[in-house]
Amino acid sequence: MRAIRFDHTGGPEVLTLGEVPVPEPKAGEILVRNQAIGINFIDTYHRTGLYPVKLPSGIGMEGAGLVEAVGEGVTRFVPGDLAAYASGPIGAYAEFHVGAAERAVKLPAGVSAQVGAAVLLKGMTAEFLIRRCYPVQAGQTVLIHAAAGGVGQILVQWAKILGATVIATVGSDDKAARAKALGADHVILYRDQAVAAEVRKLTGGAGVPVVYDSVGAATFEGSLGALARRGMLVSYGNASGPAPAIEPGRLSRMGSLYLTRPTLFDYVATTAELDESAGALFGLIAAGKIEVEIGQTFPLDQARAAHEALESRATVGASLLIP
């Protein structure tokens, strides 16, 4: 099968297309013939070495397609099922992918492989952030960075479903229009406006109880400055580089703030948690309450171009590789 590999860390140029054997499912595993592959920032973290992996390595965590074969003892799937996965093992940028059956989910009727691959990792990330990491309540005002991105778009829509007022940050007028179309009440152009100052204006000086920040280094100080007393900064990504180290006393001096750096995999650690998270997500999609935008697709052999687009923030919504 064709698969994207890399044998040393670095920029998008380290990604190469090669031929490798089709894996065989072991006990408890399924083999999926990928129809679509999700592209996520975590893939760039593996490629650059920010999140170390054993080299040489495949790349990619998310995909969806038809179950081709099942290993011994698997009852959760049968061949022909449409399945999606987002929990590894690494190596989804390929025509086939093998993984634990208990870490994959069936796609319900009406959810295609492309939508499944575009939304599972991003959508479950949004679910745990907004329902469990910091449970947003009706009437609260929240700040969502990168609101036109894959996770950001879902966060905006989910926050509105919960009855929150949404302040969104984006990098361009086009992305501002997209965030507003999804329900954002206020949009800040972070390249032109001081985020913390704008948030204070919009909240009568109070700040917000929670900031969802996937950008990292470039937005960290503004995020802290936008928080209300006892507010929480949920730093869940590093699109501009890792957030800087912080001395704990600063959190005290700035209003007894909270800082957390969560990861999806600690919130879907069990199969029951995985199914509940995916079920909540697919329920809202099926009800027409969450729109999934597939902003761009790339052939498998253009994984390098896909990473270049993602890291330059030129993408909108979700990006897919098509085998």
Side-chain angles (χ1 to χ4, degrees):
M1 68 174 184
R2 298 182 306 147
I4 299 295
R5 308 279 296 173
F6 67 112
D7 58 16
H8 62 281
T9 58
E13 69 279 358
V14 305
L15 301 177
T16 60
L17 181 69
E19 295 277 342
V20 299
V22 175
E24 293 186 7
K26 299 174 184 175
E29 294 182 337
I30 59 172
L31 176 68
V32 176
R33 180 188 290 269
N34 284 330
Q35 296 178 340
I37 300 157
I39 303 168
N40 297 285
F41 266 104
I42 193 171
D43 306 340
T44 72
Y45 306 157
H46 291 144
R47 191 204 72 227
T48 62
L50 180 62
Y51 292 0
V53 298
K54 183 179 179 181
L55 298 175
S57 176
I59 189 168
M61 301 288 289
E62 179 181 38
L66 291 174
V67 175
E68 186 85 358
V70 301
E72 182 182 353
V74 172
T75 59
R76 188 171 165 85
F77 295 93
V78 296
D81 282 343
L82 194 59
Y85 57 88
S87 300
I90 295 171
Y93 288 18
E95 292 176 314
F96 293 86
H97 186 66
V98 71
E102 64 180 14
R103 304 309 298 164
V105 298
K106 285 185 182 178
L107 292 179
V111 178
S112 68
Q114 286 207 8
V115 170
V119 79
L120 187 61
L121 190 145
K122 301 172 188 68
M124 291 195 303
T125 297
E127 182 279 322
F128 92 78
L129 289 173
I130 208 161
R131 294 175 74 220
R132 293 185 282 152
C133 185
Y134 183 95
V136 170
Q137 305 296 314
Q140 291 183 318
T141 299
V142 303
L143 176 62
I144 298 171
H145 285 294
V151 176
Q153 288 197 15
I154 300 169
L155 279 173
V156 169
Q157 295 176 83
W158 213 316
K160 295 306 297 179
I161 291 167
L162 294 172
T165 296
V166 173
I167 303 173
T169 76
V170 295
S172 69
D173 289 333
D174 287 346
K175 291 184 176 182
R178 180 59 181 156
K180 287 209 166 187
L182 292 170
D185 299 278
H186 310 282
V187 180
I188 297 170
L189 294 170
Y190 68 85
R191 291 190 175 104
D192 305 321
Q193 299 171 283
V195 171
E198 291 299 318
V199 169
R200 295 287 173 185
K201 289 179 188 176
L202 292 168
T203 58
V208 293
V210 63
V211 176
Y212 294 107
D213 189 341
S214 63
V215 180
T219 51
F220 186 76
E221 289 297 329
S223 294
L224 284 176
L227 285 169
R229 184 176 287 114
R230 299 191 304 276
M232 178 181 288
L233 170 52
V234 182
S235 175
Y236 70 96
N238 317 282
S240 66
I246 184 170
E247 188 265 314
R250 281 195 66 201
L251 300 176
S252 172
R253 294 189 294 273
M254 295 182 75
S256 299
L257 304 180
Y258 296 86
L259 169 63
T260 185
R261 182 59 175 87
T263 178
L264 169 64
F265 308 113
D266 287 323
Y267 282 81
V268 291
T270 68
T271 303
E273 289 173 336
L274 175 71
D275 285 344
E276 201 283 328
S277 183
L281 170 67
F282 291 144
L284 291 176
I285 293 172
K289 294 183 177 180
I290 286 183
E291 173 189 341
V292 179
E293 180 181 20
I294 300 172
Q296 43 280 310
T297 62
F298 302 84
L300 180 62
D301 61 6
Q302 291 185 19
R304 172 178 175 173
H307 276 222
E308 289 171 345
L310 186 67
E311 290 182 301
S312 68
R313 302 190 203 178
T315 61
V316 176
S319 300
L320 294 176
L321 290 174
I322 306 299

